[in-house]
Coordinates of all heavy atoms in Angstrom, one line a residue:
M193 N -1.4 21.8 -3.5 CA -1.0 20.4 -3.7 C -1.8 19.8 -5.0 O -1.5 18.8 -5.4 CB -1.3 19.5 -2.6 CG -0.3 19.7 -1.4 SD 1.2 18.9 -1.8 CE 0.9 17.3 -1.4
R194 N -2.8 20.5 -5.5 CA -3.6 20.0 -6.6 C -2.9 20.3 -7.8 O -2.6 21.5 -8.1 CB -4.9 20.5 -6.4 CG -5.9 19.4 -6.5 CD -7.2 19.7 -5.7 NE -7.6 18.4 -5.3 CZ -8.5 17.7 -6.0 NH1 -9.0 18.1 -7.1 NH2 -8.8 16.5 -5.6
R195 N -2.8 19.5 -8.8 CA -2.3 19.7 -10.1 C -3.2 19.1 -11.1 O -3.7 17.9 -11.0 CB -1.0 18.9 -10.2 CG 0.3 19.8 -10.5 CD 1.5 18.9 -10.4 NE 2.3 19.5 -9.3 CZ 3.5 20.1 -9.5 NH1 3.7 20.6 -10.7 NH2 4.0 20.6 -8.5
A196 N -3.6 19.9 -12.1 CA -4.4 19.3 -13.2 C -3.6 18.3 -13.9 O -2.5 18.5 -14.3 CB -4.8 20.4 -14.0
S197 N -4.2 17.1 -14.1 CA -3.5 16.2 -15.0 C -4.0 16.4 -16.5 O -5.1 16.2 -16.7 CB -3.6 14.8 -14.5 OG -4.9 14.5 -14.8
T198 N -3.1 16.7 -17.2 CA -3.2 16.8 -18.6 C -2.6 15.8 -19.4 O -1.6 15.2 -18.9 CB -2.6 18.2 -19.1 OG1 -1.3 18.2 -18.7 CG2 -3.4 19.4 -18.6
P199 N -3.2 15.3 -20.5 CA -2.6 14.2 -21.3 C -1.1 14.5 -21.7 O -0.8 15.7 -21.9 CB -3.5 14.1 -22.5 CG -4.8 14.8 -22.2 CD -4.3 15.9 -21.2
G200 N -0.3 13.6 -21.5 CA 1.1 13.8 -21.7 C 1.9 14.3 -20.6 O 3.0 14.5 -20.7
N201 N 1.2 14.7 -19.5 CA 1.9 15.2 -18.4 C 2.4 14.0 -17.6 O 1.6 13.3 -17.0 CB 1.0 16.1 -17.6 CG 1.7 16.6 -16.3 OD1 2.9 16.3 -16.1 ND2 1.0 17.3 -15.6
K202 N 3.7 13.7 -17.5 CA 4.2 12.5 -17.0 C 4.6 12.8 -15.5 O 5.1 11.9 -14.8 CB 5.5 12.1 -17.7 CG 5.1 11.7 -19.1 CD 6.0 10.4 -19.5 CE 5.4 10.0 -20.8 NZ 5.6 10.9 -21.9
Y203 N 4.3 13.9 -14.9 CA 4.7 14.2 -13.5 C 3.9 13.3 -12.7 O 2.6 13.2 -12.7 CB 4.2 15.7 -13.3 CG 4.4 15.9 -11.8 CD1 5.7 16.3 -11.3 CD2 3.4 16.0 -10.9 CE1 5.9 16.6 -9.9 CE2 3.5 16.3 -9.6 CZ 4.7 16.6 -9.1 OH 5.0 16.9 -7.7
T204 N 4.6 12.5 -11.8 CA 4.0 11.7 -10.9 C 4.5 12.0 -9.4 O 5.7 11.9 -9.2 CB 4.3 10.1 -11.1 OG1 3.9 9.9 -12.5 CG2 3.4 9.2 -10.2
P205 N 3.7 12.4 -8.6 CA 4.2 12.8 -7.2 C 4.8 11.6 -6.5 O 4.4 10.4 -6.7 CB 3.0 13.2 -6.5 CG 1.8 13.3 -7.5 CD 2.3 12.4 -8.6
I206 N 5.8 11.8 -5.8 CA 6.5 10.8 -4.9 C 5.9 10.8 -3.5 O 5.8 11.9 -2.9 CB 8.0 10.9 -4.9 CG1 8.6 11.0 -6.3 CG2 8.7 9.8 -4.1 CD1 8.4 9.7 -7.1
R207 N 5.5 9.7 -2.9 CA 5.0 9.7 -1.6 C 5.8 8.7 -0.7 O 6.3 7.7 -1.4 CB 3.5 9.4 -1.6 CG 2.7 10.4 -2.2 CD 2.7 11.7 -1.4 NE 1.8 12.8 -2.0 CZ 2.3 13.7 -2.8 NH1 3.6 13.8 -3.0 NH2 1.5 14.6 -3.3
R208 N 5.8 8.9 0.5 CA 6.5 7.9 1.4 C 5.6 7.0 2.0 O 4.4 7.2 2.6 CB 7.1 8.9 2.5 CG 8.3 8.2 3.1 CD 9.1 9.4 3.8 NE 9.9 8.8 4.7 CZ 9.6 8.5 6.0 NH1 8.4 8.8 6.4 NH2 10.4 7.9 6.9
C209 N 6.0 5.8 2.1 CA 5.2 4.7 2.7 C 5.2 4.8 4.3 O 6.3 5.0 4.8 CB 5.7 3.3 2.3 SG 5.0 1.9 3.3
A210 N 4.1 4.8 4.8 CA 4.0 4.9 6.3 C 4.5 3.7 7.0 O 4.6 3.7 8.2 CB 2.5 5.1 6.7
G211 N 4.7 2.5 6.3 CA 5.2 1.3 6.9 C 6.7 1.2 6.9 O 7.4 1.3 7.9
C212 N 7.3 1.3 5.6 CA 8.7 1.1 5.5 C 9.5 2.3 5.3 O 10.8 2.3 5.3 CB 9.1 0.0 4.5 SG 8.5 0.5 2.8
G213 N 8.8 3.5 4.9 CA 9.4 4.7 4.7 C 10.1 4.8 3.3 O 10.6 6.0 3.0
T214 N 9.8 3.9 2.4 CA 10.3 3.9 1.1 C 9.6 5.0 0.3 O 8.4 5.1 0.4 CB 10.3 2.6 0.4 OG1 11.0 1.6 1.1 CG2 10.8 2.6 -1.1
R215 N 10.3 5.7 -0.5 CA 9.6 6.7 -1.4 C 9.3 6.0 -2.7 O 10.2 5.5 -3.4 CB 10.5 8.0 -1.7 CG 10.6 8.8 -0.4 CD 11.6 9.9 -0.6 NE 11.9 10.6 0.7 CZ 11.0 11.6 1.0 NH1 10.0 11.9 0.3 NH2 11.0 12.2 2.3
R216 N 8.0 6.1 -3.1 CA 7.6 5.6 -4.4 C 6.8 6.5 -5.1 O 6.1 7.3 -4.5 CB 6.9 4.2 -4.1 CG 7.9 3.2 -3.4 CD 7.0 2.0 -2.9 NE 6.6 1.2 -4.1 CZ 6.2 0.0 -4.0 NH1 6.1 -0.6 -2.7 NH2 5.8 -0.7 -5.0
P217 N 6.5 6.3 -6.4 CA 5.5 7.0 -7.1 C 4.1 6.8 -6.4 O 3.8 5.7 -6.0 CB 5.4 6.5 -8.5 CG 6.9 5.9 -8.8 CD 7.2 5.3 -7.3
R218 N 3.4 7.9 -6.3 CA 2.1 7.7 -5.6 C 1.2 6.6 -6.2 O 0.4 6.1 -5.4 CB 1.4 9.2 -5.8 CG 0.3 9.4 -4.8 CD -0.4 10.6 -5.0 NE -1.2 10.5 -6.3 CZ -2.0 11.5 -6.7 NH1 -2.1 12.6 -6.0 NH2 -2.7 11.3 -7.8
T219 N 1.3 6.5 -7.5 CA 0.4 5.5 -8.2 C 0.7 4.1 -7.7 O 0.0 3.2 -7.8 CB 0.5 5.6 -9.7 OG1 2.0 5.6 -9.9 CG2 0.0 6.9 -10.3
E220 N 1.9 3.8 -7.1 CA 2.2 2.4 -6.6 C 1.8 2.3 -5.2 O 1.9 1.1 -4.7 CB 3.7 2.3 -6.7 CG 4.3 2.3 -8.3 CD 5.7 2.0 -8.1 OE1 6.4 1.7 -7.1 OE2 6.3 2.1 -9.3
L221 N 1.2 3.2 -4.5 CA 0.9 3.1 -3.1 C -0.5 3.2 -3.0 O -1.2 3.6 -3.8 CB 1.6 4.3 -2.4 CG 3.1 4.4 -2.4 CD1 3.7 5.8 -2.0 CD2 3.7 3.4 -1.5
L222 N -1.0 2.6 -1.9 CA -2.4 2.7 -1.3 C -2.6 4.0 -0.5 O -1.7 4.4 0.1 CB -2.7 1.5 -0.5 CG -2.4 0.1 -1.2 CD1 -2.7 -0.9 0.0 CD2 -3.3 -0.2 -2.3
R223 N -3.7 4.6 -0.8 CA -3.9 5.9 -0.1 C -5.0 5.9 0.8 O -6.0 5.2 0.6 CB -4.2 7.0 -1.2 CG -4.3 8.3 -0.7 CD -4.4 9.4 -1.9 NE -4.4 10.6 -1.4 CZ -5.4 11.6 -1.4 NH1 -6.4 11.2 -2.1 NH2 -5.3 12.7 -1.0
I224 N -4.7 6.4 1.9 CA -5.9 6.5 3.1 C -6.1 8.0 3.2 O -5.1 8.8 3.3 CB -5.4 6.0 4.4 CG1 -5.0 4.5 4.2 CG2 -6.6 6.0 5.4 CD1 -3.6 4.3 4.0
V225 N -7.4 8.5 3.2 CA -7.6 9.9 3.3 C -8.5 10.2 4.5 O -9.3 9.5 4.8 CB -8.4 10.4 2.0 CG1 -8.7 11.8 2.2 CG2 -7.5 10.1 0.8
R226 N -8.0 11.4 5.1 CA -9.0 11.9 6.1 C -9.8 13.0 5.4 O -9.2 14.0 5.1 CB -8.3 12.5 7.4 CG -9.3 12.9 8.4 CD -8.6 13.2 9.6 NE -7.8 14.5 9.6 CZ -7.9 15.5 10.5 NH1 -8.7 15.4 11.6 NH2 -7.1 16.6 10.3
R227 N -11.0 12.7 5.2 CA -12.0 13.7 4.5 C -12.1 15.1 5.3 O -11.9 15.0 6.6 CB -13.3 13.1 4.3 CG -13.2 11.8 3.5 CD -13.0 11.9 2.0 NE -14.1 12.3 1.4 CZ -14.2 13.1 0.3 NH1 -13.1 13.6 -0.1 NH2 -15.4 13.4 -0.3
P228 N -12.3 16.1 4.6 CA -12.5 17.4 5.4 C -13.5 17.3 6.5 O -13.3 18.0 7.5 CB -13.0 18.3 4.3 CG -12.5 17.8 3.0 CD -12.6 16.2 3.2
E229 N -14.6 16.4 6.3 CA -15.4 16.4 7.6 C -15.1 15.4 8.5 O -15.8 15.2 9.6 CB -16.8 16.0 6.9 CG -16.9 14.7 6.2 CD -16.7 14.7 4.9 OE1 -15.9 15.7 4.4 OE2 -17.0 13.8 4.0
G230 N -13.8 14.7 8.4 CA -13.2 14.0 9.5 C -13.3 12.5 9.2 O -12.8 11.7 10.0
E231 N -14.1 12.1 8.3 CA -14.2 10.6 8.1 C -12.9 10.1 7.4 O -12.2 10.8 6.6 CB -15.3 10.3 7.0 CG -15.8 9.0 6.9 CD -16.7 8.7 5.7 OE1 -16.9 9.7 4.9 OE2 -17.1 7.6 5.5
I232 N -12.5 8.8 7.8 CA -11.5 8.2 7.4 C -11.8 7.1 6.3 O -12.6 6.3 6.5 CB -10.6 7.6 8.4 CG1 -10.1 8.7 9.4 CG2 -9.4 6.8 8.0 CD1 -9.7 8.3 10.7
V233 N -11.3 7.2 5.1 CA -11.5 6.3 4.0 C -10.5 5.8 3.3 O -9.4 6.6 3.3 CB -12.5 7.0 3.0 CG1 -13.9 7.4 3.6 CG2 -11.8 8.3 2.3
F234 N -10.5 4.5 2.7 CA -9.5 4.1 1.7 C -9.8 4.7 0.4 O -11.0 4.8 0.0 CB -9.6 2.5 1.7 CG -8.8 2.0 0.6 CD1 -7.5 2.4 0.3 CD2 -9.4 1.0 0.0 CE1 -6.8 1.8 -0.7 CE2 -8.7 0.2 -1.1 CZ -7.3 0.8 -1.4
D235 N -8.9 5.2 -0.3 CA -9.1 5.8 -1.5 C -8.4 5.3 -2.7 O -7.2 5.5 -3.1 CB -8.6 7.4 -1.4 CG -8.6 8.1 -2.6 OD1 -9.4 7.7 -3.6 OD2 -7.8 9.1 -2.8
P236 N -9.2 4.2 -3.3 CA -8.5 3.5 -4.4 C -8.3 4.4 -5.6 O -7.4 4.1 -6.4 CB -9.5 2.4 -4.7 CG -10.5 2.5 -3.7 CD -10.5 3.8 -3.0
T237 N -8.9 5.4 -5.7 CA -8.8 6.3 -7.0 C -7.6 7.4 -6.8 O -7.2 7.9 -7.7 CB -10.1 7.1 -7.3 OG1 -10.3 8.0 -6.3 CG2 -11.3 6.2 -7.4
G238 N -7.3 7.6 -5.6 CA -6.3 8.6 -5.3 C -6.7 10.1 -5.6 O -5.9 11.0 -5.8
R239 N -8.0 10.2 -5.7 CA -8.6 11.5 -6.0 C -9.4 12.2 -5.0 O -9.8 13.4 -5.3 CB -9.5 11.4 -7.2 CG -8.8 11.0 -8.6 CD -9.8 10.4 -9.6 NE -9.1 9.8 -10.7 CZ -8.8 10.6 -11.8 NH1 -9.2 11.8 -11.9 NH2 -8.2 10.0 -12.7
L240 N -9.5 11.7 -3.9 CA -10.5 12.3 -3.0 C -9.7 13.4 -2.3 O -8.5 13.4 -2.1 CB -10.9 11.3 -1.8 CG -11.8 10.2 -2.2 CD1 -12.0 9.2 -1.0 CD2 -13.1 10.6 -2.8
D241 N -10.6 14.5 -1.9 CA -9.9 15.7 -1.2 C -9.7 15.2 0.2 O -10.4 14.4 0.8 CB -11.0 16.8 -1.2 CG -11.1 17.5 -2.4 OD1 -10.0 17.5 -3.1 OD2 -12.0 18.2 -2.8
G242 N -8.8 15.9 0.9 CA -8.4 15.6 2.2 C -7.0 15.3 2.4 O -6.2 15.2 1.5
R243 N -6.6 15.1 3.6 CA -5.3 14.8 4.0 C -5.0 13.3 3.8 O -5.7 12.6 4.3 CB -5.0 15.2 5.4 CG -3.6 14.8 6.0 CD -3.3 15.4 7.4 NE -3.0 16.9 7.2 CZ -1.8 17.3 6.9 NH1 -0.8 16.4 6.7 NH2 -1.5 18.6 6.7
G244 N -3.9 13.0 3.0 CA -3.6 11.6 2.7 C -2.5 11.0 3.3 O -1.5 11.7 3.8
A245 N -2.5 9.7 3.6 CA -1.4 8.9 4.0 C -1.1 7.7 2.9 O -2.2 7.3 2.3 CB -1.6 8.4 5.4
H246 N 0.1 7.3 2.8 CA 0.3 6.3 1.8 C 1.1 5.1 2.4 O 1.8 5.2 3.4 CB 1.1 7.0 0.7 CG 0.4 8.1 0.0 ND1 0.4 9.3 0.6 CD2 -0.3 8.2 -1.1 CE1 -0.4 10.1 -0.2 NE2 -0.8 9.4 -1.2
V247 N 0.8 4.0 1.8 CA 1.5 2.7 2.2 C 1.7 1.8 1.1 O 0.8 1.8 0.1 CB 0.8 2.0 3.4 CG1 -0.7 1.6 2.9 CG2 1.6 1.1 4.1
C248 N 2.7 1.1 1.0 CA 3.0 0.1 0.0 C 1.9 -1.0 0.0 O 1.3 -1.3 1.0 CB 4.4 -0.6 0.2 SG 5.8 0.3 0.2
P249 N 1.6 -1.5 -1.2 CA 0.6 -2.6 -1.3 C 1.1 -3.9 -0.9 O 1.2 -4.8 -1.6 CB 0.1 -2.5 -2.7 CG 1.4 -1.9 -3.5 CD 2.0 -1.1 -2.6
D250 N 1.5 -3.8 0.4 CA 2.4 -5.1 0.9 C 1.9 -5.4 2.4 O 1.9 -4.4 3.2 CB 3.8 -4.7 1.0 CG 4.7 -5.8 1.5 OD1 4.3 -6.5 2.3 OD2 5.9 -5.8 1.1
P251 N 1.4 -6.5 2.6 CA 0.9 -6.8 4.0 C 1.9 -6.5 5.2 O 1.4 -6.0 6.2 CB 0.6 -8.4 3.9 CG 0.4 -8.6 2.5 CD 1.3 -7.7 1.7
A252 N 3.2 -6.6 4.9 CA 4.2 -6.3 5.9 C 4.2 -4.9 6.2 O 4.3 -4.5 7.3 CB 5.5 -6.9 5.4
C253 N 4.1 -4.0 5.2 CA 4.0 -2.6 5.4 C 2.8 -2.1 6.1 O 2.8 -1.3 7.0 CB 4.1 -1.8 4.0 SG 5.9 -1.8 3.4
L254 N 1.6 -2.8 5.7 CA 0.4 -2.5 6.5 C 0.5 -2.8 8.0 O 0.2 -1.9 8.7 CB -0.7 -3.2 5.8 CG -1.2 -2.9 4.4 CD1 -2.2 -3.8 3.8 CD2 -1.8 -1.5 4.4
E255 N 1.0 -3.9 8.1 CA 1.2 -4.4 9.6 C 2.0 -3.5 10.3 O 1.7 -3.0 11.5 CB 1.8 -5.8 9.5 CG 2.0 -6.4 10.9 CD 0.7 -6.7 11.5 OE1 -0.4 -6.9 10.9 OE2 0.7 -6.8 12.7
R256 N 3.2 -3.1 9.7 CA 4.1 -2.1 10.4 C 3.4 -0.8 10.6 O 3.6 -0.2 11.8 CB 5.3 -2.0 9.6 CG 6.5 -1.7 10.5 CD 7.8 -1.6 9.8 NE 8.1 -2.4 8.6 CZ 9.2 -2.4 7.9 NH1 10.2 -1.7 8.3 NH2 9.4 -3.1 6.9
A257 N 2.8 -0.3 9.6 CA 2.1 1.0 9.7 C 1.1 1.0 10.8 O 0.9 1.9 11.6 CB 1.5 1.5 8.5
R258 N 0.4 -0.2 10.9 CA -0.7 -0.3 11.9 C -0.1 -0.3 13.3 O -0.6 0.4 14.3 CB -1.4 -1.6 11.7 CG -2.7 -1.7 12.5 CD -3.5 -2.9 12.1 NE -4.8 -2.9 12.7 CZ -5.8 -3.7 12.4 NH1 -5.7 -4.5 11.3 NH2 -7.0 -3.6 12.9
K259 N 1.0 -1.1 13.5 CA 1.6 -1.1 14.8 C 2.2 0.2 15.3 O 2.1 0.6 16.4 CB 2.7 -2.2 14.8 CG 2.2 -3.6 15.0 CD 3.3 -4.5 15.3 CE 2.8 -6.0 15.3 NZ 3.7 -7.0 14.7
R260 N 2.8 0.9 14.3 CA 3.4 2.2 14.7 C 2.4 3.3 14.7 O 2.8 4.4 15.2 CB 4.5 2.4 13.6 CG 5.7 1.6 13.7 CD 6.5 1.6 12.4 NE 7.0 3.0 12.1 CZ 7.6 3.3 11.1 NH1 8.0 2.5 10.2 NH2 7.9 4.6 10.9
G261 N 1.3 3.2 14.2 CA 0.3 4.2 14.3 C 0.7 5.4 13.3 O 0.3 6.5 13.6
S262 N 1.5 5.1 12.3 CA 2.1 6.0 11.4 C 1.1 6.7 10.5 O 1.2 7.8 10.1 CB 3.3 5.6 10.8 OG 3.1 4.4 10.2
I263 N 0.0 5.9 10.2 CA -0.9 6.5 9.3 C -1.7 7.4 10.0 O -2.0 8.5 9.6 CB -1.7 5.4 8.6 CG1 -1.0 4.6 7.7 CG2 -3.0 6.0 8.0 CD1 -1.7 3.4 7.0
A264 N -2.2 7.1 11.2 CA -2.9 8.0 12.1 C -2.2 9.4 12.3 O -2.7 10.3 12.3 CB -3.2 7.4 13.5
R265 N -0.9 9.2 12.5 CA 0.0 10.3 12.7 C 0.0 11.2 11.4 O -0.1 12.4 11.5 CB 1.4 9.9 13.1 CG 2.0 10.9 14.1 CD 3.1 10.3 14.9 NE 3.9 9.2 14.2 CZ 3.9 8.0 14.6 NH1 3.4 7.6 15.6 NH2 4.9 7.2 14.0
S266 N 0.2 10.6 10.3 CA 0.3 11.3 9.1 C -1.1 12.1 8.8 O -1.1 13.1 8.1 CB 0.5 10.5 7.8 OG 1.5 9.6 8.0
L267 N -2.1 11.5 9.2 CA -3.5 12.0 8.9 C -3.8 13.1 10.0 O -4.8 13.6 9.9 CB -4.6 11.0 9.0 CG -4.4 9.9 7.8 CD1 -5.5 8.9 7.9 CD2 -4.5 10.6 6.5
H268 N -3.0 13.2 11.0 CA -3.2 14.3 12.1 C -4.4 13.9 12.8 O -5.2 14.8 13.1 CB -3.2 15.7 11.6 CG -1.8 16.1 11.0 ND1 -1.7 17.4 10.6 CD2 -0.7 15.5 10.7 CE1 -0.3 17.5 10.3 NE2 0.2 16.4 10.3
L269 N -4.6 12.7 13.1 CA -5.8 12.2 14.0 C -5.7 12.7 15.3 O -4.6 13.0 15.8 CB -6.1 10.8 14.0 CG -6.2 10.0 12.6 CD1 -6.7 8.7 12.8 CD2 -7.2 10.9 11.7
E270 N -6.7 12.9 15.9 CA -6.7 13.4 17.3 C -6.2 12.2 18.2 O -6.4 11.1 17.8 CB -8.2 13.6 17.8 CG -9.1 14.5 17.0 CD -8.8 16.0 17.4 OE1 -8.5 16.2 18.5 OE2 -8.9 16.8 16.4
Q271 N -5.7 12.5 19.4 CA -5.3 11.4 20.2 C -6.5 10.5 20.5 O -7.6 11.1 20.8 CB -4.7 11.9 21.5 CG -3.3 11.3 21.7 CD -2.6 11.8 22.9 OE1 -3.1 12.8 23.6 NE2 -1.5 11.4 23.1
G272 N -6.1 9.2 20.5 CA -7.3 8.2 20.8 C -8.2 7.9 19.5 O -8.9 7.0 19.6
Q273 N -8.0 8.7 18.5 CA -8.6 8.3 17.2 C -7.8 7.4 16.6 O -6.6 7.4 16.6 CB -8.8 9.6 16.4 CG -10.2 9.8 16.0 CD -10.2 10.9 14.9 OE1 -9.3 11.8 14.8 NE2 -11.2 11.0 14.0
Y274 N -8.3 6.4 15.8 CA -7.5 5.5 15.1 C -8.2 5.1 13.8 O -9.3 5.4 13.6 CB -7.4 4.3 16.0 CG -8.7 3.7 16.4 CD1 -9.3 2.6 15.6 CD2 -9.6 4.1 17.4 CE1 -10.6 2.1 15.9 CE2 -10.8 3.6 17.8 CZ -11.3 2.5 17.0 OH -12.5 2.1 17.4
I275 N -7.5 4.3 13.0 CA -8.0 3.9 11.7 C -8.9 2.8 11.9 O -8.5 1.7 12.5 CB -6.7 3.6 10.8 CG1 -5.6 4.5 10.7 CG2 -7.3 3.1 9.4 CD1 -5.9 5.7 10.1
P276 N -10.2 2.8 11.4 CA -11.2 1.8 11.7 C -10.8 0.5 11.0 O -10.1 0.5 9.9 CB -12.5 2.4 11.1 CG -12.2 3.9 10.8 CD -10.7 4.0 10.7
D277 N -11.2 -0.6 11.7 CA -10.8 -1.9 11.1 C -11.3 -2.1 9.6 O -10.5 -2.7 8.9 CB -11.5 -3.0 11.9 CG -10.7 -3.3 13.2 OD1 -9.6 -2.7 13.3 OD2 -11.3 -3.9 14.1
P278 N -12.4 -1.7 9.2 CA -12.8 -2.0 7.9 C -11.8 -1.4 6.8 O -11.6 -1.8 5.7 CB -14.2 -1.3 7.7 CG -14.8 -1.3 9.0 CD -13.5 -1.0 10.0
I279 N -11.1 -0.3 7.3 CA -10.1 0.4 6.4 C -8.9 -0.6 6.3 O -8.5 -0.9 5.2 CB -9.7 1.7 7.0 CG1 -10.9 2.6 7.2 CG2 -8.6 2.4 6.1 CD1 -11.5 3.2 6.0
W280 N -8.5 -1.1 7.3 CA -7.4 -2.1 7.2 C -7.8 -3.2 6.5 O -7.0 -3.7 5.7 CB -7.0 -2.5 8.6 CG -6.4 -1.4 9.4 CD1 -6.9 -0.9 10.6 CD2 -5.1 -0.8 9.2 NE1 -6.2 0.2 11.1 CE2 -4.9 0.1 10.3 CE3 -4.1 -1.0 8.3 CZ2 -3.8 0.9 10.4 CZ3 -3.0 -0.2 8.4 CH2 -2.9 0.9 9.5
E281 N -9.0 -3.7 6.6 CA -9.5 -4.8 5.8 C -9.4 -4.4 4.3 O -9.0 -5.2 3.5 CB -10.8 -5.3 6.2 CG -10.8 -6.1 7.5 CD -12.1 -6.1 8.2 OE1 -13.2 -5.8 7.6 OE2 -12.0 -6.2 9.5
A282 N -9.9 -3.2 4.0 CA -10.0 -2.9 2.5 C -8.5 -2.7 2.1 O -8.1 -3.1 0.9 CB -10.6 -1.5 2.4
L283 N -7.5 -2.2 2.9 CA -6.2 -2.0 2.4 C -5.5 -3.5 2.2 O -4.9 -3.6 1.2 CB -5.4 -1.3 3.5 CG -5.7 0.2 3.6 CD1 -5.2 0.7 4.9 CD2 -5.3 1.0 2.5
S284 N -5.8 -4.4 3.2 CA -5.3 -5.8 3.0 C -5.6 -6.4 1.6 O -4.9 -7.0 1.0 CB -5.5 -6.7 4.0 OG -5.3 -6.1 5.2
A285 N -7.0 -6.3 1.5 CA -7.6 -6.8 0.2 C -6.9 -6.2 -1.1 O -6.6 -6.9 -1.9 CB -9.1 -6.6 0.2
A286 N -6.8 -5.0 -1.0 CA -6.1 -4.3 -2.2 C -4.7 -4.7 -2.3 O -4.2 -4.9 -3.4 CB -6.2 -2.7 -2.0
A287 N -4.0 -4.9 -1.2 CA -2.5 -5.3 -1.3 C -2.5 -6.6 -1.9 O -1.6 -7.0 -2.7 CB -2.0 -5.2 0.2
E288 N -3.4 -7.5 -1.5 CA -3.5 -8.9 -2.0 C -3.7 -8.8 -3.5 O -3.2 -9.6 -4.3 CB -4.5 -9.7 -1.3 CG -3.9 -10.4 -0.1 CD -5.0 -11.1 0.8 OE1 -5.8 -11.5 0.3 OE2 -4.8 -10.9 2.1
R289 N -4.6 -8.0 -4.0 CA -4.9 -7.8 -5.4 C -3.8 -7.4 -6.2 O -3.5 -7.8 -7.3 CB -6.1 -6.9 -5.6 CG -7.4 -7.5 -5.4 CD -8.6 -6.7 -6.2 NE -8.6 -5.3 -5.6 CZ -9.3 -5.1 -4.4 NH1 -9.9 -6.0 -3.8 NH2 -9.3 -3.8 -4.0
R290 N -2.9 -6.6 -5.5 CA -1.7 -6.0 -6.2 C -0.7 -6.9 -6.3 O 0.3 -6.8 -7.0 CB -1.4 -4.7 -5.6 CG -2.3 -3.7 -5.7 CD -2.0 -2.5 -6.5 NE -2.7 -1.3 -6.2 CZ -2.2 -0.1 -6.1 NH1 -0.9 0.1 -6.3 NH2 -3.0 0.9 -5.9
A291 N -0.6 -7.7 -5.3 CA 0.6 -8.7 -5.2 C 0.8 -9.6 -6.3 O -0.3 -10.0 -6.9 CB 0.5 -9.4 -3.8
Ligands
LIG513 ZN1 6.3 0.2 2.4

């Protein structure tokens, strides 16, 4: 899944929002990553290793993704494992900045 980004390479991967299901260029979405060691982090750079989930920078999408547990599902979390509150706070703050 890793692609070297070279100058002039216009390839932008498309990812699906865990809230509304819209497909958008990855650069327009917020990324949440489950690190190889299991830690869950918000990834503002889009560069961290690990399994990622994506959501629109939109409070409505965040809310929906949170209620549906779709990010936890995309990250293949264990049952009973969930996205920690500080991650949601960081995502909301980022969504507000982008709005
Ligand atoms: Zn969305």
